[in-house]
Amino acid sequence: MNRREKILASAIGGLVAVFVLGFGVRGLFLAPLRELDKRIALVKEKMGKVQTERRNYFAAEDRLKGIARTAFGDTVDQASARSGEILTKQILSAGLEESDFTRLPVGPRKLRGASEIGWNVQGDGPLTNVVNLLFLLNHSPWLHRTENLSVSVGEAPGKVRVRFRYLTLVLEPGPEVERTNLVSSLTLESPERHLLNTIVSRDLLRPYIKRPAAPPQPGQPAPLPSKPGVAPGLEVFRVVSLSEWNGEPEIHIRDLAAQKTVRYRVGDELAGGKIVMVDYRPMPVPGNSFLQSHSRLILQLGEDFWAVERGKTLAEKHKLNADELPVQLARKP
């Protein structure tokens, strides 16, 4: 081997030694560093999750304290008494009579972290004042929820009946907060309340009143009754309610002409006959067997029994056959 070959072999050997030394150093130092980088990344990720949970915790705590400040009380008894007091004030502020409303307690119902309590409310009043009450309750600053709202025709003329549930929560355990006297930002004079005046002006619950016929012109004969054989005037008396009160049925007849409602009971005289019972059996609607009627007034005229379905006028009564009579009447001689 000459001198040139020896130099070339030494150079190649040196390069190989450098590569071997480099891979050895890499394996000896870089691998632990990579493992350390992975651990650092995992720790940073865990710290990020902890910080996020910490922020969420404090945000939830602030929100819970905000809710607690609007609660009626820290205990069920406190919240029940306070909510009942506020509810009574709202009824009076709406211009309604407290004696016309009933309030029955609801609950408590156990929930996760709280107990639900409230009141079943029912009462009658003018539509304007009922809208006032619902507006005040909806914008009340106290922690509450109104559900199962129902508005129907009231017993007295010009009044409607409203039913709803007024619910609130008692936090268990509740955070310690300093409560202040809450005041609603809206009143009955606010523009938001005036937007609801269309509900009152429409008056959708007012019973339909048939327009009286125009008087006959001179020289023209008077118009004949629309239904021959029907006593004149009975078409203005409509059966609007066949409810029960303390286990006794009540019959409410609406005089569409005089705009008043009269209450009757079983045994009273009506339309030339006698009220013998209120029938609550589901039966097909006369003239439409696809629909069901769930209540009707039964009159006795002479030896015959006649029925007036709820929502119909006395002029729309129909005669009951022997197989259509209730058992209580069929057994009578």
Side-chain angles (χ1 to χ4, degrees):
M1 179 180 296
N2 55 26
R3 179 180 176 83
R4 184 178 181 182
E5 290 175 346
K6 290 180 179 180
I7 294 174
L8 182 60
S10 300
I12 294 174
L15 291 174
V16 172
V18 170
F19 279 111
V20 171
L21 182 61
F23 281 110
V25 171
R26 182 179 181 183
L28 183 62
F29 294 102
L30 295 184
L33 292 176
R34 289 177 179 175
E35 184 65 24
L36 184 60
D37 290 339
K38 290 181 180 180
R39 293 181 180 180
I40 293 175
L42 290 175
V43 172
K44 288 183 178 180
E45 183 179 356
K46 290 181 179 179
M47 290 182 62
K49 290 182 179 180
V50 170
Q51 291 177 354
T52 301
E53 291 177 356
R54 185 172 180 271
R55 287 194 298 268
N56 293 339
Y57 170 81
F58 285 113
E61 184 183 31
D62 293 339
R63 183 170 180 268
L64 190 62
K65 287 183 178 180
I67 294 175
R69 291 188 185 95
T70 62
F72 287 102
D74 296 324
T75 65
V76 171
D77 293 337
Q78 291 177 358
S80 179
R82 183 60 174 161
S83 61
E85 178 185 356
I86 295 296
L87 185 58
T88 300
K89 288 183 178 179
Q90 300 286 42
I91 292 174
L92 296 176
S93 299
L96 296 165
E97 295 292 337
E98 180 185 358
S99 58
D100 292 337
F101 279 76
T102 59
R103 282 142 290 180
L104 300 177
V106 176
R109 183 169 71 97
K110 286 292 184 179
L111 303 175
R112 184 179 179 183
S115 290
E116 182 185 71
I117 63 171
W119 302 88
N120 275 325
V121 184
Q122 174 178 306
D124 291 1
L127 181 58
T128 301
N129 302 98
V130 170
V131 173
N132 288 343
L133 174 61
L134 298 178
F135 176 82
L136 293 175
L137 293 177
N138 185 48
H139 295 283
S140 172
W142 300 95
L143 175 64
H144 76 283
R145 183 176 68 189
T146 304
E147 62 177 26
N148 297 345
L149 174 63
S150 171
V151 181
S152 58
V153 179
E155 293 186 2
K159 291 189 175 182
V160 297
R161 171 163 294 178
V162 61
R163 300 183 183 91
F164 59 88
R165 297 181 72 191
Y166 186 79
L167 303 175
T168 186
L169 291 177
V170 179
L171 303 180
E172 297 176 348
E176 294 184 2
V177 295
E178 182 179 355
R179 289 192 174 87
T180 59
N181 188 19
L182 300 177
V183 179
S184 176
S185 59
L186 299 179
T187 66
L188 296 179
E189 302 301 326
S190 300
E192 290 81 358
R193 168 59 186 88
H194 297 317
L195 295 176
L196 303 179
N197 288 335
T198 53
I199 300 176
V200 181
S201 61
R202 296 284 301 249
D203 198 6
L204 298 179
L205 298 178
R206 181 178 59 186
Y208 171 73
I209 303 175
K210 187 177 181 180
R211 178 177 297 178
Q217 298 295 330
Q220 293 183 353
L224 298 176
S226 58
K227 292 184 179 180
V230 174
L234 292 182
E235 65 274 2
V236 300
F237 298 100
R238 185 182 302 278
V239 180
V240 295
S241 175
L242 296 173
S243 58
E244 283 189 350
W245 181 257
N246 291 332
E248 295 292 333
E250 290 186 349
I251 302 98
H252 298 269
I253 306 296
R254 180 74 173 176
D255 186 344
L256 302 179
Q259 285 294 290
K260 65 179 182 179
T261 303
V262 181
R263 182 178 62 183
Y264 293 86
R265 297 184 182 275
V266 175
D268 293 344
E269 301 290 334
L270 179 65
K274 180 180 179 182
I275 302 174
V276 292
M277 73 174 298
V278 176
D279 183 16
Y280 294 108
R281 297 175 301 162
M283 295 181 65
V285 174
N288 191 344
S289 59
F290 295 100
L291 299 179
Q292 291 284 320
S293 173
H294 295 274
S295 59
R296 64 203 53 82
L297 166 68
I298 298 183
L299 296 169
Q300 184 175 8
L301 301 174
E303 299 296 329
D304 298 325
F305 294 98
W306 297 74
V308 184
E309 307 295 327
R310 185 177 63 85
K312 301 294 185 180
T313 65
L314 298 181
E316 297 174 286
K317 64 181 183 297
H318 59 95
K319 186 177 180 181
L320 295 175
N321 299 324
D323 57 343
E324 296 176 326
L325 289 175
V327 178
Q328 298 90 322
L329 298 179
R331 291 178 178 175
K332 291 184 178 181

